[in-house]
Amino acid sequence: MAELFDSYDNSYDAVVQSSIDFSGLSHDFFMAAKADIVRDLMASHFGSGHKPSALDVGCGIGAFHPFARGMFSRLCGTDISAASIAQARRSHPDVEYQAYDGNILPYGDGTFDLAVTICVLHHVPRERWLGFLREIRRVVRPGGLLCVIEHNPLNPLTRLAVMRCEFDRDAALLRASQTRRLLEDAGLRRIDTRYFVLLPWATLLMRRIEYGLRKLPLGAQYVACGIV
Ligand SMILES: C[S@@+](CC[C@H](N)C(=O)[O-])C[C@H]1O[C@@H](n2cnc3c(N)ncnc32)[C@H](O)[C@@H]1O
């Protein structure tokens, strides 16, 4: 897996963009929606004035990080693709990056207030899903949050984008209910799942409408989030 993404360090954005071109939307549109969801979850959990420390597991080239600017007191990113991490470091000098071996995250127990892992789980071998989430849980402090953002396999346009994306050939998409159960099994509490990216506009009104529809499995993506 590391080798697969190592070869996309320079072309990651372009490959994702070509897989979603049919939608008329940009990769940035999706990343901004992900940042908005994380911002919302953080505000309701930690309070709107609080800037948590955060870890992004499977951060790749750091595509999420420009959209997360100013959200965190400290932002770290890690990935098994050393080439992607090297690229992320060049692009985002304000973020702390470390490569890792896919087993033990290079951080102590309870280091972070929040961990996110965005479109990574479907690349992790099925038999390692639970271990992967347990290891992320280890580095989040008690009372902190772990958020998994994933493609919604019930959305036909998401399936089309995944089919068109060359590095998603081996992807095993998980339904929100499956991710929820994995988070429960990993010991997370009060798990919330929400679907998002339902409408192709990012205005406040559209975000409110999407929030109202968050429990319907319509959005292109979902977030499953639990408390450590
Ligand atoms: C589709 S990319 C997503 C990258 C980034 N999260 C984003 O949203 O742009 C999947 C990433 O997961 C990483 N990955 C795969 N298995 C992993 C694992 N076990 N631990 C950490 N990262 C992993 C890959 O190297 C790749 O960078």
Side-chain angles (χ1 to χ4, degrees), residues 1 5 12 31 58-60 63 79-81 100 118-120 123 132:
M1 182 54 63
F5 281 93
Y12 178 78
M31 295 317 285
C59 65
D79 200 289
I80 58 171
S81 164
Y100 90 112
I118 304 175
C119 295
V120 178
H123 290 292
F132 175 77

